[in-house]
Amino acid sequence: MAINWTDVQIEQIVASVMSQLKGESPAIKDEYNGAGYNGKKYIGVFEDMKDAIDAAESGYKAIRAMSLEEREKIIAVIRELCRKEAPTMARLGVDETKMGRVDHKTAKHMLVADKTPGTADIVAQVKTGDYGLTLTEMAPFGVVGSITPSTNPSETVICNSIGMIAAGNGVVFNPHPNAIATSNYAIDLVNRASAMAGGPRVLVSSVVKPTLDSANVMYKDPRIKLLVCTGGPGVVKSVLSSGKKAIGAGAGNPPVIVDDTADIRKAGKDIIDGCTFDNNLPCIAEKEVFAFASIADELIDAMRANGAYLISRSDADTLARVVLVEKTNPKTGISSKIVNRDCVGRDAKVLLEKIGISVGDEVRCIICETDFEHDFVQHELMMPILPIVRVKDIDQAIDLAVRAEHGNRHTAHMHSKNIDNLTRFARAVETTIFVKNAPSYAGIGFGGEGHTTFTIAGPTGEGITSAKSFTRLRRCVLAESFRII
Ligand code: COA
């Protein structure tokens, strides 16, 4: 994975941003005139959600008056700043959320800058015939309300901004309460880019202290015509029950099947590379493996050769009691296991320390053999822990993998050279993304063809979202003319 920044460079940039965050730079204070956060003045960040919506509405009016070329100029500067400030946002994200890895988060920002589609994604359709010409155009919704997660905070803000602006919308964000500084940094970046490219000073907006209450203000405001939610199950459900047009990108639990025709050494490396990307925070990352018994030992060896640490079944049970906790729903009184927030996105080494195992920095993933019912298989952990279940054949592999995915229809992976097996699993699992013989991140354009996004809309069907997902179709009919053949 190509990382263009040295640790020293990253430290220097972060030190500079941190001092600005503390308000130590008078020049920065004078330059920024939006509402502040932590002493640093972010452009487009308001105390009140109503003010943020007003600002996004003005942004929408400004963008409506712009040509596509002008929109594209703003997007070009967003890409440029995103590349330049990737290490800063990566470090802020890790410092604020305590999740993920700076080098991988830097790479994710580069991916967003390079592979998020702009205005080229907006393509009109034409139909001509005996009765003339009909044009179908992709129009903006107006002001979009975007709910963003803590796992990929600035990446999601910038990726959504590029797509939503390309489509001609204004955007108001309600970022995850645990990633406010990082998300609002990205909102400020988009606004700086707009000003630099001759666009409005506030093109996208947000609030100083986003909560579910501020999200509710957003849901109810009649000026918000489309809601886009990337997050955990609770917040996705709240958006989908808002009564408004909504795009929902929620939980997954991506299974991987490895059969006896796969290149096992490559499969072992690819699975560990994908599973450990940003410490397993991307919702597409490998979460559990179903390996043919005949190749399971070889696969485990290949994983261990690539930074995986094998723990015993009893250590796996001990670790499960640490990384999953019981929570009782106050409304229903029903208790269930949820992931321990303090373990999500942490380094494998840190997780192992919690059960008294000390390892070096070269360990990047914890692997273990479990049965299908184990909590590690059934729960989406979002941490570098990978359970491996031995299966006897493809029928059992597909049956268990489909059940482990829990009908989320999010992402699944397979390592195989048998076209029939690959096809059978892809058909059975019905996921939005299906990656064959590659690490999971190939599914979002990292070492794979196709554009990128961090908003993978399985529940509402838009799939790998891009600018066109944030448009409404409008038809214009010209009868009895303009057919020139
Ligand atoms: N704005 C306002 N509130 C938000 C929010 C947002 N953008 N995002 C989440 N919340 C709310 C939740 O609804 C929840 O409220 P509740 O306690 O009343 O139910 C609360 O904030 C905590 O959120 P949640 O994220 O569920 O819990 P957490 O911070 O403890 O968990 C994770 C962290 C990482 C486990 C969780 O965020 C998660 O599962 N994320 C998945 C992220 C994702 O990217 N999914 C889609 C990928 S395509």
Side-chain angles (χ1 to χ4, degrees):
M1 179 170 317
I3 308 295
N4 301 323
W5 299 82
T6 65
D7 282 353
V8 175
Q9 281 174 311
I10 292 172
E11 290 297 341
Q12 283 168 347
I13 294 165
V14 168
S16 134
V17 171
M18 284 304 185
S19 79
Q20 288 164 19
L21 281 169
K22 288 180 196 139
E24 286 165 12
S25 164
I28 293 284
K29 268 191 194 164
D30 293 343
E31 193 185 326
Y32 292 79
N33 69 356
Y37 176 78
N38 240 5
K40 175 173 164 34
K41 301 287 182 183
Y42 284 141
I43 302 172
V45 179
F46 298 84
E47 295 286 343
D48 192 81
M49 177 51 88
K50 285 274 178 210
D51 293 335
I53 298 171
D54 287 349
E57 193 183 24
S58 303
Y60 169 54
K61 284 181 185 151
I63 212 165
R64 271 204 82 169
M66 281 180 208
S67 64
L68 282 172
E69 210 175 341
E70 285 166 330
R71 274 188 226 169
E72 199 53 50
K73 270 189 194 150
I74 295 176
I75 290 168
V77 183
I78 296 174
R79 294 187 202 281
E80 192 187 316
L81 293 186
C82 181
R83 278 184 209 108
K84 218 153 108 190
E85 299 176 32
T88 307
M89 289 183 279
R91 173 68 77 187
L92 280 179
V94 172
D95 284 352
E96 186 180 25
T97 66
K98 312 278 178 280
M99 302 189 290
R101 293 175 45 142
V102 174
D103 52 354
H104 291 173
K105 281 194 189 294
T106 303
K108 288 199 298 185
H109 286 85
M110 297 296 181
L111 177 68
V112 165
D114 293 343
K115 295 194 84 172
T116 306
T119 55
D121 204 44
I122 307 296
V123 183
Q125 292 165 12
V126 174
K127 167 113 178 74
T128 66
D130 294 344
Y131 298 101
L133 174 144
T134 290
L135 177 67
T136 306
E137 290 205 282
M138 294 181 174
F141 267 89
V143 184
V144 180
S146 177
I147 306 283
T148 54
S150 55
T151 43
N152 314 299
S154 37
E155 301 90 314
T156 308
V157 165
I158 295 176
C159 187
N160 282 2
S161 293
I162 292 176
M164 290 168 185
I165 291 167
N169 298 292
V171 198
V172 55
F173 287 95
N174 198 79
H176 192 288
N178 295 337
I180 303 173
T182 316
S183 313
N184 282 347
Y185 184 101
I187 286 149
D188 172 81
L189 179 149
V190 172
N191 286 326
R192 278 186 281 135
S194 171
M196 283 165 73
R201 189 164 173 74
V202 178
L203 180 53
V204 298
S205 64
S206 165
V207 285
V208 176
K209 204 173 176 311
T211 58
L212 276 182
D213 287 342
S214 61
N216 273 317
V217 173
M218 175 198 266
Y219 299 167
K220 293 202 177 94
D221 194 296
R223 291 169 295 172
I224 307 288
K225 302 294 185 199
L226 168 68
L227 291 166
V228 178
C229 178
T230 319
V235 80
V236 171
K237 195 172 164 206
S238 76
V239 162
L240 296 185
S241 11
S242 68
K244 281 201 172 155
K245 159 80 184 172
I247 295 178
N253 193 34
V256 193
I257 292 179
V258 186
D259 77 10
D260 54 355
T261 66
D263 177 340
I264 304 300
R265 287 181 64 169
K266 180 177 182 303
K269 179 176 187 313
D270 284 355
I271 293 170
I272 298 301
D273 283 349
C275 173
T276 55
F277 190 50
D278 207 17
N279 279 344
N280 203 257
L281 290 179
C283 42
I284 53 157
E286 294 82 348
K287 301 287 192 288
E288 62 278 339
V289 177
F290 297 95
F292 277 33
S294 54
I295 51 87
D297 289 338
E298 196 186 342
L299 182 69
I300 289 170
D301 285 346
M303 289 176 168
R304 293 175 75 186
N306 283 285
Y309 185 88
L310 180 67
I311 59 171
S312 65
R313 281 174 199 250
S314 76
D315 281 342
D317 292 342
T318 311
L319 187 59
R321 286 193 288 274
V322 174
V323 303
L324 288 156
V325 289
E326 289 281 342
K327 191 181 173 188
T328 308
N329 182 325
K331 286 178 202 149
T332 60
I334 298 170
S335 76
S336 57
K337 281 183 189 164
I338 59 159
V339 287
N340 179 350
R341 177 75 181 69
D342 292 334
C343 296
V344 175
R346 299 304 198 274
D347 291 344
K349 183 182 165 176
V350 171
L351 297 172
L352 283 171
E353 269 163 21
K354 290 180 188 289
I355 58 164
I357 297 176
S358 170
V359 295
D361 289 332
E362 72 286 355
V363 170
R364 51 186 181 134
C365 190
I366 302 165
I367 57 171
C368 50
E369 284 200 51
T370 68
D371 53 30
F372 174 70
E373 280 74 29
H374 198 274
D375 282 337
F376 285 171
V377 176
Q378 299 302 325
H379 291 268
E380 188 190 28
L381 300 178
M382 283 177 286
M383 45 190 101
I385 297 176
L386 193 64
I388 299 155
V389 179
R390 287 181 194 245
V391 291
K392 62 177 190 307
D393 58 21
I394 191 66
D395 292 333
Q396 191 187 18
I398 292 176
D399 175 43
L400 297 185
V402 169
R403 281 159 55 197
E405 213 273 327
H406 300 311
N408 293 318
R409 303 205 286 185
H410 197 295
T411 301
H413 310 282
M414 185 157 177
H415 293 265
S416 170
K417 288 183 184 152
N418 181 321
I419 296 171
D420 294 338
N421 286 354
L422 286 161
T423 308
R424 275 186 61 194
F425 182 35
R427 282 195 180 147
V429 74
E430 292 189 277
T431 46
T432 307
I433 299 179
F434 188 78
V435 179
K436 299 166 183 165
N437 299 324
S440 49
Y441 43 70
I444 52 166
F446 199 90
E449 284 303 325
H451 69 272
T452 201
T453 186
F454 285 90
T455 300
I456 297 149
T460 47
E462 291 78 8
I464 323 300
T465 55
S466 62
K468 61 172 168 292
S469 317
F470 312 123
T471 60
R472 52 190 276 267
L473 297 181
R474 294 179 57 192
R475 176 185 273 198
C476 182
V477 179
L478 182 65
E480 291 167 18
S481 264
F482 269 89
R483 180 169 161 89
I484 58 166
I485 49 172

